[in-house]
Amino acid sequence: MIGKLTGILAERNPPQVVVDCNGVGYEVDVPMSTFYNLPSTGERVSLLTHFVVREDAQVLYGFGSADERATFRQLIKISGVGPRMALGVLSGLSVAELAQAITLQDAGRLVKIPGIGKKTAERLLLELKGKMGADIGAPAHAATDAQADILQALVALGYSDKEAAASLKALPKDVAVGEGIKLALKALAK
């Protein structure tokens, strides 16, 4: 129904913003990834939206990119995942990070998001497999089991998901786990 809002950013109260469109203020809930990329209050903003009508409320969700909105729509199709949880997932992981977690079937990354338990994480991975993953925002080469092990080892050593994923890109495709960890640690030490 309402697919896009363009207007002046009137208020910023995470996770909600108010967009003034010619005198009408729309309250829009946004993921934190979108919130951090918004301009200052009083500046022009454009958000793609998804309108949810419930028995007790009508809520407008806003996104900075078409990928975020498409991912949100995929998430809310899953049984047990409502708009709030989908917003939480997008606040905790970027679309590319979520796609990589799905490709690698890495439930550990999803469990770190508040409100996502082990069973929900596993259901998300199962339901989104084939719908998201290697084709959306994931590394150009297919992730192997060895790469998944290397990524988990780096995260276990205290590196962030972003740092670990970035170090994987520099590794040869067919690297062994032990050698891959050594090379990734050398790259991260620089």
Side-chain angles (χ1 to χ4, degrees), residues 7 25 29 54 68 73 114 153 167 188:
D29 288 359
R54 296 190 325 232
E68 273 189 339
R73 288 176 172 168
S167 69
L188 288 166

Side-chain angles (χ1 to χ4, degrees), residues 69-179:
R69 181 172 67 177
T71 302
F72 176 84
R73 288 176 172 168
Q74 283 291 335
L75 288 167
I76 62 174
K77 288 178 185 177
I78 298 169
S79 175
V81 177
R84 288 278 171 217
M85 187 179 290
L87 213 59
V89 170
L90 289 173
S91 292
L93 295 173
S94 70
V95 174
E97 291 169 336
L98 178 60
Q100 187 175 31
I102 293 163
T103 300
L104 299 174
Q105 291 293 293
D106 184 3
R109 292 174 89 176
L110 295 174
V111 172
K112 293 179 185 175
I113 300 169
I116 305 286
K118 186 178 180 190
K119 286 183 180 180
T120 304
E122 289 170 354
R123 185 173 52 233
L124 287 172
L125 293 175
L126 179 68
E127 295 277 342
L128 293 174
K129 189 175 184 178
K131 296 176 185 169
M132 275 188 76
D135 57 331
I136 301 176
H141 54 82
T144 63
D145 289 338
Q147 288 172 328
D149 291 343
I150 295 167
L151 182 72
Q152 288 178 339
L154 293 172
V155 170
L157 288 171
Y159 291 98
S160 73
D161 291 331
K162 285 183 182 180
E163 292 170 327
S167 69
L168 274 182
K169 292 178 184 176
L171 299 178
K173 282 184 184 179
D174 55 351
V175 69
V177 175
E179 185 63 24

Side-chain angles (χ1 to χ4, degrees), residues 13-72:
N13 298 314
Q16 193 172 72
V17 297
V18 175
V19 179
D20 184 338
C21 299
N22 297 322
V24 178
Y26 290 93
E27 291 181 344
V28 184
D29 288 359
V30 297
M32 294 313 289
S33 54
T34 296
F35 188 85
Y36 293 132
N37 291 319
L38 290 173
S40 301
T41 303
E43 291 187 33
R44 192 161 185 77
V45 67
S46 187
L47 294 172
L48 296 171
T49 60
H50 181 85
F51 188 56
V52 175
V53 178
R54 296 190 325 232
E55 199 174 293
D56 60 340
Q58 296 180 13
V59 185
L60 198 56
Y61 295 93
F63 307 94
S65 71
D67 280 345
E68 273 189 339
R69 181 172 67 177
T71 302
F72 176 84

